[in-house]
Amino acid sequence: MIVVVARYGLGIVLALAVFGKAGNFAAFRSSLATFGLRGRLAQVGAFTVVTVEALAALMVVSPVADVVVGVTGTCLGACFTVAQTYLLAVGEQAPCLCFGSKERASIRTWARAALVLLMGLALWGAAA
């Protein structure tokens, strides 16, 4: 049961993230300046993040093994949690545009990133 909840929960969260970023792609691309990505590098970075999230969300409804989906979710969640931790540590109040929201970096945005990490870990652990 935990595998089903973690797998589809992860897929839903990632799909929402993709739609949020893709729906306001220019703003998401601009938000990457917070991490030092500007111009062409920001364009490539934004496209890469959205593409990887979309592929990971699609993995959920594919025959890909649960452990692979779990490892992918864990890696994405770790990256997102590190990014949110960085923003909080340096006191950056920039919006992350993580789910299409202009909500500024906060413990709430950090918790959403950590949720992706935890669902990936749960799926990875349960499937292994």
Side-chain angles (χ1 to χ4, degrees):
M1 179 68 170
I2 192 164
V3 169
V4 172
V5 171
R7 185 173 179 126
Y8 289 100
L10 183 62
I12 290 167
V13 170
L14 291 174
L16 290 172
V18 168
F19 288 124
K21 289 178 183 84
N24 199 353
F25 189 77
F28 173 61
R29 183 186 64 230
S30 295
S31 76
L32 295 180
T34 305
F35 300 100
L37 301 177
R38 291 175 180 76
R40 180 81 175 132
L41 196 53
Q43 180 74 21
V44 171
F47 178 79
T48 301
V49 169
V50 172
T51 301
V52 169
E53 284 180 339
L55 290 173
L58 288 172
M59 288 172 79
V60 168
V61 295
S62 76
V64 171
D66 291 332
V67 70
V68 174
V69 177
V71 169
T72 302
T74 300
C75 292
L76 283 171
C79 291
F80 299 154
T81 304
V82 165
Q84 288 298 305
T85 302
Y86 167 78
L87 292 176
L88 293 173
V90 299
E92 181 63 56
Q93 293 298 307
C96 73
L97 297 164
C98 303
F99 293 91
S101 161
K102 293 185 181 178
E103 180 180 358
R104 299 199 175 275
S106 67
I107 193 66
R108 182 179 156 107
T109 61
W110 183 90
R112 283 195 309 240
L115 178 62
V116 173
L117 173 61
L118 291 174
M119 284 189 290
L121 286 170
L123 186 56
W124 185 1

